[in-house]
Every structure is written in C-alpha cells, then in structure tokens.
C-alpha cells in the first residue's frame, strides 16, 4: 500500500466500512497504518478514516435507524433506561460515555438512536 500513489485511500475506506454496523478491527488497522506509513502520516490516515467513518455512522443512524431504535427502546427496559440517562444527562453524559471503555462507534449510535 505504501508504494501505490493513492494507497493511503485503502485504509481510509476500510475505516469507513468497519464503522458499520460497527465492526471490530479499528485498533488493528491503526497499528498497521503506523507500521506502514510511520507515526505522523499513519496518525493522519487514522484520524481521517475515523472522522469520515464517524460522520457516516452518525448520518446512517440518524436517518436510517432511528425508528428501529425507538421500537427496541419500547420493548427493552435496559435500552429504555440507557436512552433516558443519555437524553437527560446531555453533553456531560455523552462525553463520559465517549471517554469510557465503550467503543466510540457504539456511543455514536447510542446517542443518535436515543
């Protein structure tokens, strides 16, 4: 990938794909980017891929999955209570969830569905 002219687009595309539904492998791909391109260029590629993936995740859950989320929230007490905590807690709770051990892709989806 390093020797291709636009080889850096490949991991960005993979970051975008693993943001849905969200999938695992983000950390492994970040390590590979650091090994292939070095620390600073690898960091830029990971940052760009993560940002684009999060934007895609945000709009997908906002426009495509909100009705399903409300349906699940009505049928499950766990999702209902979690949604209520996030809605009533506001930015502070969203920030705490973002810095917690919960993967960022899940917290993006959680904030939008609730």
């Amino acid at each position: 990938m390093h020797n291709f002219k636009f080889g850096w687009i490949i991991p960005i595309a993979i970051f975008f794909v693993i943001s849905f539904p969200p999938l695992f492998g983000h950390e492994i791909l970040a390590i590979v980017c650091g090994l292939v391109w070095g620390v600073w260029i690898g960091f830029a590629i990971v940052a760009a891929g993560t940002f684009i993936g999060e934007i895609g995740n945000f709009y997908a859950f906002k426009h495509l999955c909100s009705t399903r989320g409300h349906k699940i929230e009505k049928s499950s007490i766990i999702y209902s209570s979690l949604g209520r905590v996030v809605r009533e807690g506001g930015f502070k709770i969203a920030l705490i969830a973002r810095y917690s051990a919960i993967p960022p892709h899940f917290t993006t989806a959680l904030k939008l569905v609730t």
Side-chain angles (χ1 to χ4, degrees):
M1 289 187 299
H2 187 270
N3 295 330
F4 293 130
K5 186 175 183 179
F6 293 105
W8 53 271
I9 294 177
I10 296 169
I12 290 176
I14 295 172
F15 275 119
F16 183 80
V17 169
I18 63 175
S19 294
F20 302 97
L23 300 171
F24 62 92
H26 188 272
E27 295 81 10
I28 296 169
L29 185 58
I31 292 171
V32 169
C33 287
L35 291 173
V36 172
W37 282 281
V39 175
W40 297 110
I41 296 173
F43 175 77
I45 292 170
V46 171
T50 302
F51 183 70
I52 292 169
E54 287 292 323
I55 289 174
N57 197 6
F58 175 83
Y59 284 110
F61 278 95
K62 182 177 181 181
H63 295 293
L64 301 176
C65 301
S66 61
T67 55
R68 185 167 190 270
H70 292 299
K71 179 180 158 186
I72 292 172
E73 189 176 344
K74 289 180 183 177
S75 65
S76 173
I77 188 95
I78 295 170
Y79 288 117
S80 177
S81 60
L82 186 59
R84 184 172 179 181
V85 166
V86 171
R87 272 194 301 274
E88 291 181 3
F91 179 75
K92 182 179 177 182
I93 296 297
L95 185 67
I96 290 170
R98 195 63 166 191
Y99 287 146
S100 71
I102 302 170
H105 302 306
F106 291 116
T107 57
T108 300
L110 174 71
K111 289 182 279 190
L112 293 171
V113 172
T114 56

